[in-house]
Amino acid sequence: MTEPHAPARAAAYAVVIPTLGRPSLGACLTALAEATGPGPTRIVLVDDRPDTDRIALTADVPPSLRTRTVVVPGGARGPAAARNLGWRAAGDVPWIVFLDDDVVPGPTWGDDLTLDLAAATARTAGITARIEVPLPAGRRPTDWERNTAGLAGARWITADMAYRRDALVAVGGFDERFRRAFREDADLALRMLDAGWTITTGRRTTTHPVRQAGRWISVRLQAGNADDVLMTRLHGRHWWRRAEAPRGRLPLHLAVTGAGVTALGCALLGRHRAAAACAATWLAGTAEFALARILPGPGTRDEILTMTVTSALVPPAATWHWLRGRLAHRKARPHPPSGSGEPAPAPRPAARERLRS
C-alpha cells in the first residue's frame, strides 16, 4: 500500500482489527500491506487476549505498516468493546474500517476502498465489503463450512465494514453488552438506520477463509441465543426481518427439549405411556435435525458421527442459553432515539503501544 497522505482528506481512513493473536492475523496484515491503493493513516490492533496470555504482536506486522501501527490492550471484554477502543484510539480520521483478524483483503483492496469512500453521500454511515468464503472443491461442505459460508450473505458484517467516524460518535459505537462476535454488527447497523443514516455495499472484496473448528463448535455456537434475546429487547420481535437474518431453529429446539424433559419427568412419576409418547417426539425431532445436517454434507463417517451426537446436544444447549439470555437481559430497554449527532460520553483514554520498524 502507498503512504497514507495519498488519499484526499474525505477518503482518509484508519483500520481497526480486534485480535486474539491468532495465526491468521499475519496473513490479514500481509494482504493489507500488499494490496494496491492508498493506505490507512493508522492501523489499530486491539489485543483482546487476557493479560496472562499476551505475547507481543510485533512479529505479525509487516515492516511497511509498522510506523502506522499501534497496539491497544482490549481487556478481554469481547469484540464490541475492542472495536470501541480501536476507533476511539484511531484519531481524528473521517472513516474507520473494521477488519476481523481472520480475513484476507483482496489484491486491489485499497483502490476499491477509495472508490467506495468517494461514492459515499453525506448520510452514508457505513459501506460493507463483498465477503467471499472459499469452500473445498470436489466434495460437499461440512456443517461448519456451510455455517461459515453464510457470512458471504450476511448484512452489515464487520468482518470488513467501513463506518464514518461521525456516525459512530452519534450513536455511541458498539453496544458492549454483546460480548461475543455475534449480533453486535446487526445491532449497530439497526441503530444507524434508526438515526437516519444509510448503509451501502461497496465494491471491495475480502476473503473469509473457513477456520479450523472442533467437533463441538455447533454446540458452543448456541450461546448466540442469549444475544438474540438482547436483540429482541432492544429492537423488537421483528428485528429479524429488518436485519434480514435467518430465524434459525430455536422454536423447534425448545419443542424438542421440552419433549425430552417431559419424557424424563413422566418416567419418574410412573406415567409410562406419556413418557413413551414424549420420548418418541424427542427422538423424531432429534432424528429430523440430524438428517437435515447430514444430507447436505460430505457423508464421511466422522461428519455423520459428529452430526448425530451434536444434534442431540444442540437443542438443550440452545434452550439453556435462551433462558440465560431471558434472565440476563430482562431489564434491557430499547435504545433511545439518537439522531442528534451529539457526541457520546468521552471514554477513558486507552493505553497504546506504537510499533517501530
Side-chain angles (χ1 to χ4, degrees):
M1 282 191 147
T2 58
E3 288 300 315
H5 62 268
R9 170 65 183 168
Y13 68 96
V15 171
V16 172
I17 307 178
T19 182
L20 296 174
R22 295 185 289 193
S24 57
L25 175 63
C28 175
L29 292 171
T30 297
L32 189 63
E34 294 177 350
T36 61
T41 60
R42 175 171 290 174
I43 299 172
V44 182
L45 302 180
V46 185
D47 189 346
D48 208 34
R49 296 171 294 179
D51 290 341
T52 55
D53 295 338
R54 188 168 294 146
I55 301 173
L57 299 174
T58 309
D60 291 321
V61 182
S64 62
L65 299 180
R66 288 184 181 176
T67 59
R68 296 181 245 170
T69 300
V70 296
V71 176
V72 177
R77 294 187 295 127
R83 292 191 185 102
N84 282 341
L85 283 170
W87 71 261
R88 287 165 179 155
D92 183 18
V93 62
W95 290 92
I96 307 292
V97 182
F98 296 102
L99 294 178
D100 284 350
D101 69 354
D102 57 351
V103 302
V104 180
T108 60
W109 188 87
D111 284 322
D112 295 337
L113 174 64
T114 300
L115 293 174
D116 289 345
L117 301 184
T121 69
R123 297 307 298 170
T124 301
I127 309 171
T128 185
R130 302 176 187 274
I131 303 297
E132 296 181 348
V133 180
L135 294 176
R139 66 164 174 81
R140 289 179 291 184
T142 64
D143 181 71
W144 169 239
E145 290 166 345
R146 296 194 303 275
N147 180 283
T148 305
L151 299 176
R155 297 190 70 186
W156 312 317
I157 183 172
T158 42
D160 183 342
M161 170 66 92
Y163 269 118
R164 192 184 295 275
R165 192 180 195 280
D166 287 346
L168 290 168
V169 171
V171 302
F174 291 88
D175 189 328
E176 297 182 10
R177 286 173 292 185
F178 292 94
R179 298 294 296 268
R180 304 172 62 256
F182 190 66
R183 303 304 189 203
E184 83 289 352
D185 46 7
D187 167 74
L188 177 60
L190 290 177
R191 286 189 284 120
M192 290 285 187
L193 298 179
D194 289 341
W197 297 91
T198 62
I199 300 175
T200 63
T201 300
R203 67 178 64 202
R204 68 191 187 281
T205 300
T206 293
T207 300
H208 193 305
V210 179
R211 61 180 173 85
Q212 294 295 318
R215 184 184 297 273
W216 311 109
I217 183 63
S218 60
V219 180
R220 295 198 298 272
L221 289 177
Q222 300 312 307
N225 284 285
D227 299 314
D228 285 344
V229 172
L230 180 56
M231 286 292 290
T232 300
R233 297 289 192 196
L234 299 178
H235 300 285
R237 0 186 236 111
H238 300 301
W239 71 266
W240 305 88
R241 298 175 188 171
R242 293 184 61 203
E244 297 182 17
R247 183 64 180 86
R249 297 178 62 105
L250 179 62
L252 290 175
H253 291 335
L254 295 176
V256 169
T257 303
V261 171
T262 304
L264 290 174
C266 289
L268 291 173
L269 294 173
R271 300 180 180 179
H272 301 299
R273 286 189 177 181
C278 291
T281 301
W282 173 85
L283 182 60
T286 301
E288 182 276 331
F289 182 38
L291 287 174
R293 302 168 73 202
I294 291 171
L295 293 179
T300 62
R301 179 178 178 180
D302 185 68
E303 177 74 359
I304 292 172
L305 176 61
T306 299
M307 294 301 99
T308 301
V309 174
T310 57
S311 293
L313 298 176
V314 163
T319 302
W320 163 255
H321 287 294
W322 177 75
L323 291 172
R324 179 177 62 82
R326 299 271 295 186
L327 178 63
H329 304 305
R330 66 190 182 280
K331 296 182 179 180
R333 295 292 180 267
H335 290 287
S338 56
S340 65
E342 291 297 320
R348 58 179 176 82
R352 299 188 222 171
E353 172 194 353
R354 182 177 294 277
L355 302 185
R356 300 298 181 187
S357 57

